[in-house]
Amino acid sequence: MRAAIYCRVSTREQAESGYSIPDQVRNCSKKAKELGATVVEEFLDKESGAFLERPGLEKLRHSLQQNYFDLVITKSPDRLSRNITHQLILREEIIKSGAELKFLTFEWQNTPDGRMLMNVQGVISDYEREVIRERTMMGRRSKVLAGKIPLNSHVYGYFFDNEQSKYYINEQEAQVVRDIYKWLLKGDELSGPMGGVSIAKKLAEKGIKPPRRAKDSWAKATIYKILKNPIYTGTAYFYREKKRKTGLHTIEITKRPESDWLAVPVPPIIDQKTFEAAQRKLSENARGNRRNTKYKYLLQGLIFCEVCGRRMAINPERMRNSKKVPAYYVCPKDRPNE
């Protein structure tokens, strides 16, 4: 008898509820052997149960399509999914494959009563997920209204105090931020005003460590992110955007009206006048780049990324592996650094 065991835990669940993959694997494997399984295969995920697009689950579903397993064991229905509709889809796929579905938390049978019990548990899991989400959002909003930072966004130039939920200036990084603004507006001792690429190269040459989310190197996009962040003038804004997950790795972002934004004061690194001058300089640079483009493109500067709202960049026509690749529009965050 071939048995598949599916185990899943998200980072939040492991922190709050004590779930762990090894515990689930051990208990499910024990159950499989008790039921007479001679072959046991593990399918593991460390992802949210809100979406079906999970590597381990997708491998399991592919094997079920091949009618490979006689038995599928998991801790409880919410390990398969926290979405009742997804639970029903997965249950039917397992049954259709000819496999028997077993849970550790209760005895389930493919009967009207058994299906109803699983459906009820699925509805409860779905409800619990929404309650947790709502409580989390309300807790963060309460912190903001109390003048605190709800979570550490690892803003370059600041330390985060977890106990007080506040940012404090990291003087070493703050000086780099000031230099970036100075180089953009006035340049360094050798040249005039500099662009994002030149600033990134200068920082790399100086051996200055980039922000933790910039991987291992300074890039133009990282420089622009610092130059456009109003937090450095002394105000952190929250609820500027509304985000909704549409898949495991996809997200929908819409901008909120400015009246909905919530502000929290933080120690300033630059003054408002410098920030505004930098925004004007960035706009001038952008217009200059469009004027100096070697080729003219019909929608240049007119289309925006539907995910992040940024102006789309152009990857020009080029040769790759002896083949001509036509020009195309791309989000700046996905564009290779040049």
Side-chain angles (χ1 to χ4, degrees), residues 27 29 54 62 80 98 101 131 157 161 191 226 242 278 315 319:
N27 293 330
S29 297
R54 289 170 255 150
H62 177 73
L80 287 175
L101 178 60
V131 168
D161 187 321
S191 61
I226 290 174
K242 185 176 182 180
N315 261 18
M319 297 298 294

Side-chain angles (χ1 to χ4, degrees), residues 18-290:
Y19 290 131
S20 73
I21 291 288
D23 286 343
Q24 292 180 53
V25 170
R26 182 173 59 254
N27 293 330
C28 287
S29 297
K30 180 181 177 182
K31 180 76 170 179
K33 291 175 181 177
E34 289 174 354
L35 293 171
T38 55
V39 176
V40 179
E41 293 193 23
E42 302 171 4
F43 298 87
L44 314 177
D45 278 315
K46 293 183 178 180
E47 310 284 357
S48 167
F51 302 98
L52 285 175
E53 301 88 349
R54 289 170 255 150
L57 183 60
E58 289 182 345
K59 290 179 182 177
L60 172 59
R61 296 176 74 188
H62 177 73
S63 297
L64 290 172
Q65 290 174 358
Q66 313 304 316
N67 301 324
Y68 188 75
F69 293 109
D70 306 297
L71 191 63
V72 176
I73 302 174
T74 190
K75 180 178 181 290
S76 58
D78 65 358
R79 296 304 87 200
L80 287 175
S81 178
R82 283 189 172 274
N83 182 301
I84 178 61
T85 303
H86 295 166
Q87 282 188 18
L88 297 177
I89 291 172
L90 294 171
R91 186 177 72 188
E92 292 308 308
E93 288 182 357
I94 293 169
I95 293 172
K96 185 178 179 180
S97 74
E100 187 177 0
L101 178 60
K102 292 289 185 179
F103 300 109
L104 299 183
T105 52
F106 68 99
E107 285 294 328
W108 181 79
Q109 300 293 331
N110 186 20
T111 63
D113 287 347
R115 290 192 292 271
M116 182 185 71
L117 178 58
M118 183 176 172
N119 293 349
V120 170
Q121 290 208 354
V123 170
I124 292 173
S125 294
D126 214 350
Y127 169 75
E128 287 178 341
R129 178 169 60 89
E130 290 301 317
V131 168
I132 290 170
R133 178 179 174 276
E134 184 64 23
R135 286 175 178 170
T136 300
M137 294 298 293
M138 288 186 66
R140 290 177 179 174
R141 190 177 182 86
S142 296
K143 274 191 171 184
V144 173
L145 292 173
K148 297 182 178 181
I149 304 296
L151 72 167
N152 184 11
S153 297
H154 303 283
V155 180
Y156 189 79
Y158 291 96
F159 290 117
F160 184 70
D161 187 321
N162 280 296
E163 292 185 2
Q164 298 186 39
S165 296
K166 290 185 176 181
Y167 280 132
Y168 293 96
I169 290 179
N170 176 333
E171 191 52 49
Q172 184 177 359
E173 293 182 354
Q175 186 55 51
V176 176
V177 173
R178 296 185 191 104
D179 287 341
I180 289 173
Y181 277 85
K182 183 183 74 174
W183 293 337
L184 173 76
L185 297 172
K186 300 179 180 178
D188 58 10
E189 62 279 359
L190 300 176
S191 61
M194 302 165 65
V197 173
S198 299
I199 293 174
K201 288 181 179 179
K202 186 175 181 67
L203 291 170
E205 290 169 358
K206 284 177 168 286
I208 296 174
K209 187 177 179 180
R212 56 174 290 176
R213 293 186 176 180
K215 297 182 180 179
D216 298 320
S217 61
W218 287 95
K220 180 172 68 174
T222 306
I223 299 300
Y224 284 173
K225 186 175 181 180
I226 290 174
L227 288 169
K228 293 181 179 181
N229 195 341
I231 193 173
Y232 297 116
T233 64
T235 304
Y237 291 100
F238 296 92
Y239 301 99
R240 298 172 65 184
E241 300 172 332
K242 185 176 182 180
K243 299 180 180 180
R244 183 177 71 88
K245 289 198 72 171
T246 56
L248 197 60
H249 302 294
T250 57
I251 189 170
E252 178 185 86
I253 302 176
T254 54
K255 292 185 177 181
R256 297 177 186 268
E258 195 168 338
S259 57
D260 290 348
W261 298 1
L262 296 180
V264 175
V266 299
I269 292 177
I270 61 170
D271 56 42
Q272 184 68 30
K273 184 178 178 181
T274 300
F275 181 77
E276 291 174 356
Q279 305 318 298
R280 290 193 297 270
K281 183 62 176 175
L282 290 173
S283 296
E284 291 172 5
N285 291 351
R287 288 195 297 270
N289 287 341
R290 288 198 291 274

